[in-house]
Amino acid sequence: MNSRLAILVKGELHRLHKYNLTSVSVLVALIWGVFLFFLDSSLDTMLPFVLVMDATMMSIMYVGAVMFFEKSESTISTMLVTPVTNSELVLSKVLANTLHNMFASALIITVFMIIKDVSINIPLVVIAILLTTAFHTTLGVFMAYYQKDFTGMLVNVMIFSFVLFVPSVLFLLNVISGPIWEAILLINPIQAGQEIILAAFKDYEFTYKYYFSLSYLIVLGILGYKYFVLPKFQDYAVKQSGV
Amino acid sequence: MFKVEGLKFKYPKNESDVINGIDFEINKGEIFGFLGPSGAGKSTTQKIMIKILEDFRGKISYNGKDITEYKDDFYESIGVSFEMPIHFSKMTALENIEFFLKLYKKNADIETLMKRVGLWEDKDKMVGEFSKGMKIRLNIVRALLNEPEMLFLDEPTNGLDPKNAMILKDMIREFRADGGTVFITSHIMSDIDQLCDRVAFIVDGEIKEMDSPRNLKIKYGKRSMNVEYKENNETIKVEFPMDNIGKNSEFINLLQTKDIETIHSGETTLEDIFIKVTGVGLKDE
């Protein structure tokens, strides 16, 4: 990582803390922790569900919140007149939000590994959370470009959840099942995230679905960043300067 | 240092150009002002020059090189202060400045700068607690922290009280004295008059006149001397033509025989000249 990107990531993490988003994140992790602590029977299903939710919906919300704070203070205009490149600015948000989310997820995982003796493959869960969060943060950055306020962003996240998250959860809970749903859900990034997160838990059977989901998130993430998120950033940032 | 030739610009949603083919040059070590009412195209021109707005027509060169050829190193040598205060409100003034400082290769002494604008004592306060004047002063510190060669200031004294406006103007003059070049946009006539070596009047995206404030006053001003004197407990005003004033016997006689209260040259203000040249008031639009 170049030094300027490192400075930007550090700055983003500092602001996440200063604007109380880290506190919110820890609080949410604690609430989930308490909820899961009293849930003995379906812990194996619910813990991955919480991790998926944190890495997908919550990632979009956090990066949306950060960008709306920036919008309200027009600070992005100042960033535009520094030697920082647009790609460094976007990447710093993605990296900082991913690390931030990893921290919250790590809290939950650690507590459950110690208290509930849950067996998790650490390298696999770390890769899965990092990848899923990075993808959804990038998506959140793109969604924030087109929203005037945070309420608008929340509405979009709700729609996004309804369309993509609910089917994925219903499938996880076996409410919907079968090969057709399995095939349809393969192109759902939340399902892809869920698939690779589940792989870190015991009794997961590695099939083509894991490798497809892993590749899907990587390829779609890179293409989305290169062809949508980065090219649109300049327009978004210029609008924040009052144009 | 900066050369703008045939600059035209249209916002994507507009039907017509907001900048209609302007030409000007800013020389090294000069304070150059853009004077015009709101919506005249001052800030748009500045945003094009600092590479925030792209897709302009015409040519702009900086130090002899087309600005489109510059990459992000362009920002190592310029400093920009926007009209509105722009800071992270939940961070302290020092945290704000230190964050931006790390992004540049050249670093100014923050303590000296913050002391100069009277903010060092408040460095550990959250910027959200600052008054508008303090935030504007912090804007200037931010613009100067990379020791730029050129400063872009958008309405720099707008919202500042007279004392702070004076500190800021002194800092701009010191910057110029140290070899810096400044581009100021303003609708405040006194800022331009007091600071600028040259000024361009801009209205509807067109430069209507461009020269030094002094030359403009000579060109468009009324050349007269106004004398006020007291006679029989009454103040009497008399106006004399400036030409050959030293040989005007009536004027000399008045000075020798009357109880003079005031003598002023009938200098026209820059604002009057602006209205005369453009037909538009600075507070219009």
Side-chain angles (χ1 to χ4, degrees):
Chain A
M1 198 191 299
N2 72 37
S3 64
R4 226 164 38 201
L5 183 58
I7 292 163
L8 289 174
V9 171
K10 202 175 157 193
E12 290 282 341
L13 289 170
H14 187 213
R15 286 195 292 283
L16 280 165
H17 166 62
K18 284 280 184 171
Y19 285 76
N20 294 325
L21 288 168
T22 306
S23 310
V24 171
S25 177
V26 170
L27 186 68
V28 170
L30 283 174
I31 292 169
W32 279 123
V34 171
F35 171 71
L36 291 174
F37 186 79
F38 293 105
L39 200 78
D40 271 343
S41 58
S42 50
L43 193 63
D44 285 349
T45 316
M46 286 310 288
L47 185 54
F49 166 77
V50 169
L51 296 178
V52 169
M53 189 123 132
D54 239 22
T56 56
M57 278 172 63
M58 295 309 284
S59 299
I60 298 174
M61 302 269 266
Y62 287 134
V63 81
V66 167
M67 289 177 73
F68 283 105
F69 277 129
E70 281 182 355
K71 270 188 187 185
S72 67
E73 297 179 337
S74 301
T75 43
I76 206 78
S77 313
T78 306
M79 298 305 297
L80 282 184
V81 293
T82 66
V84 170
T85 63
N86 287 350
S87 58
E88 286 170 337
L89 281 172
V90 177
L91 278 176
S92 68
K93 292 191 190 312
V94 174
L95 290 173
N97 203 52
T98 303
L99 290 172
H100 176 253
N101 188 64
M102 189 68 236
F103 166 72
S105 299
L107 265 182
I108 301 175
I109 292 167
T110 310
V111 168
F112 281 87
M113 284 182 82
I114 295 168
I115 299 174
K116 291 276 186 179
D117 200 24
V118 175
S119 165
I120 301 174
N121 182 323
I122 298 294
L124 278 186
V125 84
V126 168
I127 290 169
I129 289 172
L130 289 178
L131 193 58
T132 309
T133 309
F135 178 90
H136 287 87
T137 302
T138 311
L139 183 66
V141 170
F142 190 72
M143 285 166 83
Y145 289 168
Y146 298 97
Q147 302 307 317
K148 284 183 180 165
D149 49 40
F150 192 60
T151 315
M153 180 85 181
L154 281 177
V155 171
N156 263 12
V157 172
M158 295 303 283
I159 294 168
F160 175 79
S161 315
F162 186 76
V163 175
L164 298 180
F165 197 73
V166 173
S168 197
V169 172
L170 292 178
F171 190 77
L172 179 74
L173 300 174
N174 278 324
V175 177
I176 56 172
S177 58
I180 294 172
W181 273 112
E182 216 172 282
I184 292 172
L185 287 174
L186 274 178
I187 56 163
N188 174 353
I190 291 181
Q191 178 67 26
Q194 183 177 292
E195 194 68 40
I196 60 172
I197 286 173
L198 276 172
F201 289 81
K202 66 176 180 181
D203 301 333
Y204 179 81
E205 195 180 321
F206 281 88
T207 63
Y208 75 95
K209 283 198 289 181
Y210 175 80
Y211 300 103
F212 177 84
S213 300
L214 194 69
S215 316
Y216 184 64
L217 286 181
I218 294 171
V219 172
L220 196 63
I222 291 171
L223 292 178
Y225 167 79
K226 191 174 176 188
Y227 293 106
F228 294 97
V229 180
L230 190 57
K232 288 281 173 193
F233 182 78
Q234 181 73 15
D235 287 347
Y236 160 77
V238 168
K239 269 186 199 161
Q240 309 317 310
S241 72
V243 174
Chain B
M1 190 169 201
F2 243 104
K3 195 172 182 183
V4 176
E5 296 166 274
L7 180 65
K8 290 183 179 182
F9 183 79
K10 185 170 91 67
Y11 286 109
K13 287 179 184 170
N14 286 18
E15 284 183 4
S16 55
D17 288 339
V18 288
I19 304 293
N20 297 304
I22 59 174
D23 301 85
F24 62 95
E25 199 167 344
I26 305 170
N27 302 313
K28 190 168 171 56
E30 162 176 72
I31 303 179
F32 186 89
F34 246 34
L35 185 67
S38 306
K42 306 185 298 290
S43 297
T44 301
T45 306
Q46 179 172 304
K47 281 174 183 163
I48 294 168
M49 291 169 75
I50 59 176
K51 286 167 65 69
I52 283 188
L53 290 177
E54 296 165 339
D55 301 327
F56 61 86
R57 286 163 284 149
K59 191 181 174 190
I60 304 176
S61 48
Y62 173 55
N63 284 333
K65 185 175 159 184
D66 197 309
I67 61 160
T68 56
E69 290 172 23
Y70 279 95
K71 301 290 175 197
D72 294 287
D73 59 332
F74 174 71
Y75 299 108
E76 293 283 359
S77 66
I78 68 160
V80 181
S81 172
F82 293 102
E83 182 183 1
M84 295 306 293
I86 294 168
H87 310 286
F88 299 110
S89 64
K90 293 194 178 182
M91 284 163 63
T92 68
L94 193 60
E95 284 171 338
N96 264 278
I97 294 303
E98 281 180 336
F99 169 70
F100 287 107
L101 189 74
K102 288 174 192 158
L103 301 174
Y104 294 96
K105 288 176 190 159
K106 269 170 83 180
N107 288 174
D109 179 8
I110 306 176
E111 186 175 343
T112 307
L113 275 178
M114 289 183 83
K115 278 182 177 166
R116 184 72 183 86
V117 295
L119 286 179
W120 185 246
E121 299 282 307
D122 302 298
K123 66 181 188 302
D124 296 321
K125 270 190 191 165
M126 294 291 169
V127 173
E129 295 169 24
F130 274 20
S131 66
K132 190 183 175 192
M134 291 164 88
K135 288 177 185 170
I136 292 171
R137 282 183 276 154
L138 195 61
N139 260 7
I140 295 295
V141 174
R142 212 215 68 72
L144 289 169
L145 53 77
N146 56 325
E147 296 184 332
E149 285 175 32
M150 176 142 188
L151 259 186
F152 289 88
L153 306 172
D154 194 3
E155 307 279 357
T157 62
N158 205 7
L160 283 183
D161 57 72
K163 186 188 161 202
N164 283 311
M166 190 175 284
I167 291 173
L168 202 110
K169 286 177 196 171
D170 285 344
M171 285 181 77
I172 295 169
R173 288 190 195 98
E174 284 165 22
F175 178 78
R176 190 259 308 266
D178 291 338
T181 308
V182 187
F183 179 75
I184 296 180
T185 63
S186 182
H187 71 281
I188 302 171
M189 183 274 298
S190 60
D191 281 2
I192 298 288
D193 199 5
Q194 291 165 19
L195 287 169
C196 294
D197 299 305
R198 283 191 307 136
V199 56
F201 291 167
I202 181 165
V203 175
D204 297 331
E206 288 174 17
I207 292 179
K208 304 288 186 184
E209 182 61 279
M210 184 164 48
D211 210 330
S212 69
R214 184 178 181 277
N215 286 349
L216 288 170
K217 285 174 190 169
I218 291 169
K219 187 174 174 184
Y220 293 101
K222 196 175 175 187
R223 290 177 49 75
S224 64
M225 287 293 285
N226 301 316
V227 182
E228 286 182 336
Y229 64 93
K230 210 154 201 170
E231 196 168 69
N232 302 327
N233 281 333
E234 268 186 69
T235 300
I236 299 169
K237 291 179 188 175
V238 193
E239 189 176 307
F240 297 94
M242 184 78 85
D243 297 326
N244 294 318
I245 188 81
K247 291 175 186 167
N248 188 322
S249 56
E250 193 187 342
F251 174 74
I252 293 167
N253 185 47
L254 198 78
L255 295 183
Q256 288 172 343
T257 59
K258 303 294 182 187
D259 180 13
I260 307 293
E261 286 189 319
T262 65
I263 301 180
H264 295 291
S265 62
E267 199 176 65
T268 312
T269 66
L270 211 53
E271 186 159 3
D272 291 336
I273 298 169
F274 185 91
I275 293 167
K276 193 172 173 180
V277 171
T278 66
V280 178
L282 284 169
K283 294 185 178 86
D284 287 359
E285 299 185 19

